[in-house]
Amino acid sequence: MESSAALTSIRLTSSIRPSRFSSPFLSPAFPPKPTSLSLKLQKQFPFTSQNVLQASNALRPSASVSASEAIELADIDWDNLGFGLQPTDYMYFMKCDQGGTFSKGELKRFGNIELNPSAGVLNYGQGLFEGLKAYRKDDGNILLFRPEENALRMKTGAERMCMPSPSVEQFVEAVKDTVLANKRWIPPQGKGSLYIRPLLMGSGAVLGLAPAPEYTFLIYVSPVGNYFKEGLAPINLIVESELHRATPGGTGGVKTIGNYAAVLKAQSAAKAKGYSDVLYLDCVHKRYLEEVSSCNIFVVKGNVISTPSIKGTILPGITRKSIIDVARSQGFEVEERLVAVDELLEADEVFCTGTAVVVSPVGSITYLGEKKSYGDGVGAVSQQLYTGLTRLQMGLAEDNMNWTVELR
């Protein structure tokens, strides 16, 4: 750990729940033997605390284990976390050549990376990223939310972008390694989450337009609070009718880095006018809702919740997918279809979903100079779905969906 950071120690009792990615049996009768990860950390970083080294031994539990451990928390202001980068301790690296497969990865100290000026990601935008979160339970254990879904989405995106990708198991184990090595940065329950950012990029040098000869898979993490400064409070959107986020046959349906640079112009203009973000329309008819800059959109009318169908120009959000299942389990009718912009005028509520925002209620939408407001405060449906999903993500409700992966 960094010598400059003070640590807060809390004593508690926790248990390990088996995950579907479990492998070797860990006997509760004996202390865990050093793993290759812990030995590697000890050799590379001899000043690393024993807590982090022992955490790596719990990556693949397959039996319930109870143990008393001290949780070390970084000395930061947990009550005032925003959504910004807080440098942490470690990041994860794994490389492979074009046409090859990813093999052994490693943890390195968090810091700058070196790239050739002719790297494929710098010159031709050959890169993808993912986003997911880790939450600390009240017993100190850690929950990941549907990491295998992020792994599958990265594989789909990599195929579209002519890149090799880690296997689902490699992705999930790398996420576990990175989270456990940075566990002191996971906020106390109710204070936020640890945002996890996996990257896949063409790191090899290439001058002519072609797939890069080498690829790097990297994961870094940062503790975060709310994405929008409003928190769980209504945001104000403006509909963009001239600039577009994606086109049919393009890359709007995968999480490539270029999709996000394309929204910066409209988003910056909207924020300069006091709006929270931008809602995009389809580029063909300029009539149907697509998504917000980094969120999916939902429209509520009575007991029916409608959201634009996934058709290649809209990112298949994992929070979107989860909210649809949660809503249906709560008795709502959910429709995935073309949603016309005119339907916003008749809606009872509108809300956005995404990893960063979870559920963000919309207070107003402005379209062609006309503003439609959706009552005062957070809508009942938005609040109900937000509560239902976040209680599950944080371990406050029983996970009947089998969506969470528990770490110690």
PDB file of all heavy atoms in Angstrom, residues 124-147:
ATOM      1  N   TYR A 124      -6.304   4.368 -35.245  1.00  0.00           N
ATOM      2  CA  TYR A 124      -7.523   3.916 -35.913  1.00  0.00           C
ATOM      3  C   TYR A 124      -8.667   3.578 -34.952  1.00  0.00           C
ATOM      4  O   TYR A 124      -9.677   3.025 -35.372  1.00  0.00           O
ATOM      5  CB  TYR A 124      -7.198   2.705 -36.801  1.00  0.00           C
ATOM      6  CG  TYR A 124      -6.171   3.037 -37.857  1.00  0.00           C
ATOM      7  CD1 TYR A 124      -4.917   2.431 -37.864  1.00  0.00           C
ATOM      8  CD2 TYR A 124      -6.429   4.006 -38.832  1.00  0.00           C
ATOM      9  CE1 TYR A 124      -3.962   2.756 -38.818  1.00  0.00           C
ATOM     10  CE2 TYR A 124      -5.487   4.346 -39.779  1.00  0.00           C
ATOM     11  CZ  TYR A 124      -4.252   3.709 -39.765  1.00  0.00           C
ATOM     12  OH  TYR A 124      -3.312   4.056 -40.716  1.00  0.00           O
ATOM     13  N   GLY A 125      -8.511   3.937 -33.693  1.00  0.00           N
ATOM     14  CA  GLY A 125      -9.602   3.767 -32.734  1.00  0.00           C
ATOM     15  C   GLY A 125      -9.977   2.334 -32.457  1.00  0.00           C
ATOM     16  O   GLY A 125     -11.128   2.054 -32.116  1.00  0.00           O
ATOM     17  N   GLN A 126      -9.020   1.407 -32.599  1.00  0.00           N
ATOM     18  CA  GLN A 126      -9.322  -0.006 -32.375  1.00  0.00           C
ATOM     19  C   GLN A 126      -9.295  -0.291 -30.882  1.00  0.00           C
ATOM     20  O   GLN A 126      -8.288  -0.713 -30.317  1.00  0.00           O
ATOM     21  CB  GLN A 126      -8.335  -0.897 -33.126  1.00  0.00           C
ATOM     22  CG  GLN A 126      -8.834  -2.319 -33.310  1.00  0.00           C
ATOM     23  CD  GLN A 126      -7.824  -3.207 -34.005  1.00  0.00           C
ATOM     24  OE1 GLN A 126      -6.640  -2.912 -34.060  1.00  0.00           O
ATOM     25  NE2 GLN A 126      -8.302  -4.324 -34.526  1.00  0.00           N
ATOM     26  N   GLY A 127     -10.432  -0.053 -30.244  1.00  0.00           N
ATOM     27  CA  GLY A 127     -10.497  -0.235 -28.798  1.00  0.00           C
ATOM     28  C   GLY A 127     -11.920  -0.374 -28.307  1.00  0.00           C
ATOM     29  O   GLY A 127     -12.869   0.138 -28.910  1.00  0.00           O
ATOM     30  N   LEU A 128     -12.085  -1.083 -27.217  1.00  0.00           N
ATOM     31  CA  LEU A 128     -13.366  -1.285 -26.539  1.00  0.00           C
ATOM     32  C   LEU A 128     -13.170  -1.050 -25.054  1.00  0.00           C
ATOM     33  O   LEU A 128     -12.053  -1.150 -24.543  1.00  0.00           O
ATOM     34  CB  LEU A 128     -13.860  -2.723 -26.715  1.00  0.00           C
ATOM     35  CG  LEU A 128     -14.199  -3.243 -28.102  1.00  0.00           C
ATOM     36  CD1 LEU A 128     -14.257  -4.761 -28.056  1.00  0.00           C
ATOM     37  CD2 LEU A 128     -15.523  -2.678 -28.566  1.00  0.00           C
ATOM     38  N   PHE A 129     -14.244  -0.747 -24.360  1.00  0.00           N
ATOM     39  CA  PHE A 129     -14.163  -0.742 -22.904  1.00  0.00           C
ATOM     40  C   PHE A 129     -15.457  -1.282 -22.322  1.00  0.00           C
ATOM     41  O   PHE A 129     -16.474  -1.389 -22.999  1.00  0.00           O
ATOM     42  CB  PHE A 129     -13.834   0.647 -22.349  1.00  0.00           C
ATOM     43  CG  PHE A 129     -14.956   1.647 -22.409  1.00  0.00           C
ATOM     44  CD1 PHE A 129     -15.837   1.793 -21.346  1.00  0.00           C
ATOM     45  CD2 PHE A 129     -15.125   2.469 -23.512  1.00  0.00           C
ATOM     46  CE1 PHE A 129     -16.864   2.722 -21.386  1.00  0.00           C
ATOM     47  CE2 PHE A 129     -16.144   3.407 -23.562  1.00  0.00           C
ATOM     48  CZ  PHE A 129     -17.019   3.533 -22.495  1.00  0.00           C
ATOM     49  N   GLU A 130     -15.405  -1.652 -21.050  1.00  0.00           N
ATOM     50  CA  GLU A 130     -16.563  -2.103 -20.309  1.00  0.00           C
ATOM     51  C   GLU A 130     -16.649  -1.317 -19.010  1.00  0.00           C
ATOM     52  O   GLU A 130     -15.711  -0.602 -18.637  1.00  0.00           O
ATOM     53  CB  GLU A 130     -16.478  -3.611 -20.016  1.00  0.00           C
ATOM     54  CG  GLU A 130     -16.892  -4.499 -21.175  1.00  0.00           C
ATOM     55  CD  GLU A 130     -18.356  -4.340 -21.546  1.00  0.00           C
ATOM     56  OE1 GLU A 130     -19.183  -4.068 -20.638  1.00  0.00           O
ATOM     57  OE2 GLU A 130     -18.683  -4.481 -22.736  1.00  0.00           O
ATOM     58  N   GLY A 131     -17.755  -1.432 -18.338  1.00  0.00           N
ATOM     59  CA  GLY A 131     -17.921  -0.791 -17.039  1.00  0.00           C
ATOM     60  C   GLY A 131     -18.798  -1.654 -16.152  1.00  0.00           C
ATOM     61  O   GLY A 131     -19.864  -2.091 -16.579  1.00  0.00           O
ATOM     62  N   LEU A 132     -18.333  -1.928 -14.956  1.00  0.00           N
ATOM     63  CA  LEU A 132     -19.129  -2.652 -13.977  1.00  0.00           C
ATOM     64  C   LEU A 132     -18.708  -2.196 -12.590  1.00  0.00           C
ATOM     65  O   LEU A 132     -17.776  -1.398 -12.459  1.00  0.00           O
ATOM     66  CB  LEU A 132     -18.985  -4.165 -14.132  1.00  0.00           C
ATOM     67  CG  LEU A 132     -17.621  -4.839 -13.945  1.00  0.00           C
ATOM     68  CD1 LEU A 132     -17.804  -6.317 -13.615  1.00  0.00           C
ATOM     69  CD2 LEU A 132     -16.769  -4.735 -15.208  1.00  0.00           C
ATOM     70  N   LYS A 133     -19.411  -2.681 -11.557  1.00  0.00           N
ATOM     71  CA  LYS A 133     -19.163  -2.185 -10.210  1.00  0.00           C
ATOM     72  C   LYS A 133     -19.012  -3.319  -9.197  1.00  0.00           C
ATOM     73  O   LYS A 133     -19.543  -4.410  -9.383  1.00  0.00           O
ATOM     74  CB  LYS A 133     -20.306  -1.275  -9.750  1.00  0.00           C
ATOM     75  CG  LYS A 133     -20.367   0.076 -10.448  1.00  0.00           C
ATOM     76  CD  LYS A 133     -21.544   0.876  -9.943  1.00  0.00           C
ATOM     77  CE  LYS A 133     -21.570   2.273 -10.550  1.00  0.00           C
ATOM     78  NZ  LYS A 133     -22.753   3.032 -10.082  1.00  0.00           N
ATOM     79  N   ALA A 134     -18.274  -3.004  -8.134  1.00  0.00           N
ATOM     80  CA  ALA A 134     -18.186  -3.871  -6.959  1.00  0.00           C
ATOM     81  C   ALA A 134     -18.755  -3.100  -5.768  1.00  0.00           C
ATOM     82  O   ALA A 134     -18.497  -1.904  -5.623  1.00  0.00           O
ATOM     83  CB  ALA A 134     -16.744  -4.284  -6.687  1.00  0.00           C
ATOM     84  N   TYR A 135     -19.523  -3.803  -4.951  1.00  0.00           N
ATOM     85  CA  TYR A 135     -20.140  -3.204  -3.768  1.00  0.00           C
ATOM     86  C   TYR A 135     -19.668  -3.933  -2.522  1.00  0.00           C
ATOM     87  O   TYR A 135     -19.460  -5.147  -2.538  1.00  0.00           O
ATOM     88  CB  TYR A 135     -21.663  -3.307  -3.837  1.00  0.00           C
ATOM     89  CG  TYR A 135     -22.302  -2.538  -4.973  1.00  0.00           C
ATOM     90  CD1 TYR A 135     -22.428  -3.103  -6.240  1.00  0.00           C
ATOM     91  CD2 TYR A 135     -22.789  -1.248  -4.770  1.00  0.00           C
ATOM     92  CE1 TYR A 135     -23.023  -2.409  -7.274  1.00  0.00           C
ATOM     93  CE2 TYR A 135     -23.387  -0.545  -5.800  1.00  0.00           C
ATOM     94  CZ  TYR A 135     -23.501  -1.127  -7.057  1.00  0.00           C
ATOM     95  OH  TYR A 135     -24.080  -0.435  -8.083  1.00  0.00           O
ATOM     96  N   ARG A 136     -19.531  -3.184  -1.433  1.00  0.00           N
ATOM     97  CA  ARG A 136     -19.187  -3.801  -0.153  1.00  0.00           C
ATOM     98  C   ARG A 136     -20.468  -4.055   0.634  1.00  0.00           C
ATOM     99  O   ARG A 136     -21.277  -3.146   0.828  1.00  0.00           O
ATOM    100  CB  ARG A 136     -18.248  -2.896   0.661  1.00  0.00           C
ATOM    101  CG  ARG A 136     -17.657  -3.602   1.868  1.00  0.00           C
ATOM    102  CD  ARG A 136     -16.798  -2.681   2.712  1.00  0.00           C
ATOM    103  NE  ARG A 136     -15.625  -2.183   2.026  1.00  0.00           N
ATOM    104  CZ  ARG A 136     -14.491  -2.856   1.860  1.00  0.00           C
ATOM    105  NH1 ARG A 136     -14.398  -4.091   2.328  1.00  0.00           N
ATOM    106  NH2 ARG A 136     -13.463  -2.309   1.238  1.00  0.00           N
ATOM    107  N   LYS A 137     -20.636  -5.292   1.090  1.00  0.00           N
ATOM    108  CA  LYS A 137     -21.779  -5.627   1.932  1.00  0.00           C
ATOM    109  C   LYS A 137     -21.537  -5.164   3.370  1.00  0.00           C
ATOM    110  O   LYS A 137     -20.417  -4.806   3.754  1.00  0.00           O
ATOM    111  CB  LYS A 137     -22.011  -7.140   1.899  1.00  0.00           C
ATOM    112  CG  LYS A 137     -22.415  -7.703   0.548  1.00  0.00           C
ATOM    113  CD  LYS A 137     -22.516  -9.210   0.590  1.00  0.00           C
ATOM    114  CE  LYS A 137     -23.569  -9.680   1.571  1.00  0.00           C
ATOM    115  NZ  LYS A 137     -23.629 -11.168   1.643  1.00  0.00           N
ATOM    116  N   ASP A 138     -22.599  -5.218   4.175  1.00  0.00           N
ATOM    117  CA  ASP A 138     -22.436  -4.777   5.562  1.00  0.00           C
ATOM    118  C   ASP A 138     -21.575  -5.742   6.374  1.00  0.00           C
ATOM    119  O   ASP A 138     -21.049  -5.380   7.422  1.00  0.00           O
ATOM    120  CB  ASP A 138     -23.798  -4.575   6.242  1.00  0.00           C
ATOM    121  CG  ASP A 138     -24.678  -5.820   6.203  1.00  0.00           C
ATOM    122  OD1 ASP A 138     -24.212  -6.859   5.716  1.00  0.00           O
ATOM    123  OD2 ASP A 138     -25.838  -5.734   6.659  1.00  0.00           O
ATOM    124  N   ASP A 139     -21.394  -7.002   5.884  1.00  0.00           N
ATOM    125  CA  ASP A 139     -20.499  -7.925   6.583  1.00  0.00           C
ATOM    126  C   ASP A 139     -19.062  -7.835   6.060  1.00  0.00           C
ATOM    127  O   ASP A 139     -18.195  -8.596   6.477  1.00  0.00           O
ATOM    128  CB  ASP A 139     -21.009  -9.368   6.483  1.00  0.00           C
ATOM    129  CG  ASP A 139     -21.015  -9.909   5.057  1.00  0.00           C
ATOM    130  OD1 ASP A 139     -20.565  -9.193   4.127  1.00  0.00           O
ATOM    131  OD2 ASP A 139     -21.469 -11.061   4.857  1.00  0.00           O
ATOM    132  N   GLY A 140     -18.806  -6.906   5.146  1.00  0.00           N
ATOM    133  CA  GLY A 140     -17.458  -6.710   4.618  1.00  0.00           C
ATOM    134  C   GLY A 140     -17.170  -7.461   3.343  1.00  0.00           C
ATOM    135  O   GLY A 140     -16.202  -7.162   2.646  1.00  0.00           O
ATOM    136  N   ASN A 141     -17.976  -8.469   3.012  1.00  0.00           N
ATOM    137  CA  ASN A 141     -17.772  -9.187   1.761  1.00  0.00           C
ATOM    138  C   ASN A 141     -18.086  -8.286   0.571  1.00  0.00           C
ATOM    139  O   ASN A 141     -18.708  -7.230   0.715  1.00  0.00           O
ATOM    140  CB  ASN A 141     -18.646 -10.446   1.720  1.00  0.00           C
ATOM    141  CG  ASN A 141     -18.122 -11.539   2.634  1.00  0.00           C
ATOM    142  OD1 ASN A 141     -17.102 -11.374   3.303  1.00  0.00           O
ATOM    143  ND2 ASN A 141     -18.829 -12.650   2.678  1.00  0.00           N
ATOM    144  N   ILE A 142     -17.662  -8.710  -0.602  1.00  0.00           N
ATOM    145  CA  ILE A 142     -17.742  -7.875  -1.811  1.00  0.00           C
ATOM    146  C   ILE A 142     -18.632  -8.559  -2.833  1.00  0.00           C
ATOM    147  O   ILE A 142     -18.556  -9.778  -3.026  1.00  0.00           O
ATOM    148  CB  ILE A 142     -16.331  -7.660  -2.396  1.00  0.00           C
ATOM    149  CG1 ILE A 142     -15.431  -6.964  -1.368  1.00  0.00           C
ATOM    150  CG2 ILE A 142     -16.397  -6.859  -3.696  1.00  0.00           C
ATOM    151  CD1 ILE A 142     -13.955  -7.124  -1.660  1.00  0.00           C
ATOM    152  N   LEU A 143     -19.473  -7.776  -3.502  1.00  0.00           N
ATOM    153  CA  LEU A 143     -20.345  -8.303  -4.539  1.00  0.00           C
ATOM    154  C   LEU A 143     -20.011  -7.685  -5.887  1.00  0.00           C
ATOM    155  O   LEU A 143     -19.892  -6.459  -6.008  1.00  0.00           O
ATOM    156  CB  LEU A 143     -21.814  -8.010  -4.209  1.00  0.00           C
ATOM    157  CG  LEU A 143     -22.455  -8.802  -3.071  1.00  0.00           C
ATOM    158  CD1 LEU A 143     -23.907  -8.369  -2.894  1.00  0.00           C
ATOM    159  CD2 LEU A 143     -22.379 -10.304  -3.328  1.00  0.00           C
ATOM    160  N   LEU A 144     -19.851  -8.531  -6.890  1.00  0.00           N
ATOM    161  CA  LEU A 144     -19.791  -8.100  -8.286  1.00  0.00           C
ATOM    162  C   LEU A 144     -21.160  -8.343  -8.894  1.00  0.00           C
ATOM    163  O   LEU A 144     -21.848  -9.300  -8.537  1.00  0.00           O
ATOM    164  CB  LEU A 144     -18.746  -8.907  -9.060  1.00  0.00           C
ATOM    165  CG  LEU A 144     -17.313  -8.897  -8.543  1.00  0.00           C
ATOM    166  CD1 LEU A 144     -16.450  -9.820  -9.404  1.00  0.00           C
ATOM    167  CD2 LEU A 144     -16.756  -7.488  -8.546  1.00  0.00           C
ATOM    168  N   PHE A 145     -21.531  -7.495  -9.843  1.00  0.00           N
ATOM    169  CA  PHE A 145     -22.851  -7.620 -10.460  1.00  0.00           C
ATOM    170  C   PHE A 145     -22.724  -8.055 -11.919  1.00  0.00           C
ATOM    171  O   PHE A 145     -22.249  -7.305 -12.751  1.00  0.00           O
ATOM    172  CB  PHE A 145     -23.609  -6.291 -10.368  1.00  0.00           C
ATOM    173  CG  PHE A 145     -25.026  -6.374 -10.873  1.00  0.00           C
ATOM    174  CD1 PHE A 145     -25.989  -7.081 -10.167  1.00  0.00           C
ATOM    175  CD2 PHE A 145     -25.390  -5.757 -12.058  1.00  0.00           C
ATOM    176  CE1 PHE A 145     -27.290  -7.169 -10.627  1.00  0.00           C
ATOM    177  CE2 PHE A 145     -26.687  -5.849 -12.534  1.00  0.00           C
ATOM    178  CZ  PHE A 145     -27.640  -6.552 -11.818  1.00  0.00           C
ATOM    179  N   ARG A 146     -23.082  -9.280 -12.203  1.00  0.00           N
ATOM    180  CA  ARG A 146     -23.169  -9.850 -13.540  1.00  0.00           C
ATOM    181  C   ARG A 146     -21.909  -9.654 -14.386  1.00  0.00           C
ATOM    182  O   ARG A 146     -21.971  -9.229 -15.551  1.00  0.00           O
ATOM    183  CB  ARG A 146     -24.387  -9.290 -14.280  1.00  0.00           C
ATOM    184  CG  ARG A 146     -25.685  -9.389 -13.507  1.00  0.00           C
ATOM    185  CD  ARG A 146     -26.910  -9.062 -14.342  1.00  0.00           C
ATOM    186  NE  ARG A 146     -27.261 -10.197 -15.200  1.00  0.00           N
ATOM    187  CZ  ARG A 146     -28.361 -10.235 -15.962  1.00  0.00           C
ATOM    188  NH1 ARG A 146     -29.203  -9.213 -15.965  1.00  0.00           N
ATOM    189  NH2 ARG A 146     -28.612 -11.286 -16.714  1.00  0.00           N
ATOM    190  N   PRO A 147     -20.723  -9.962 -13.858  1.00  0.00           N
ATOM    191  CA  PRO A 147     -19.499  -9.716 -14.636  1.00  0.00           C
ATOM    192  C   PRO A 147     -19.417 -10.539 -15.914  1.00  0.00           C
ATOM    193  O   PRO A 147     -18.789 -10.122 -16.893  1.00  0.00           O
ATOM    194  CB  PRO A 147     -18.378 -10.086 -13.659  1.00  0.00           C
ATOM    195  CG  PRO A 147     -19.013 -11.057 -12.704  1.00  0.00           C
ATOM    196  CD  PRO A 147     -20.425 -10.568 -12.543  1.00  0.00           C
TER     197      PRO A 147
END
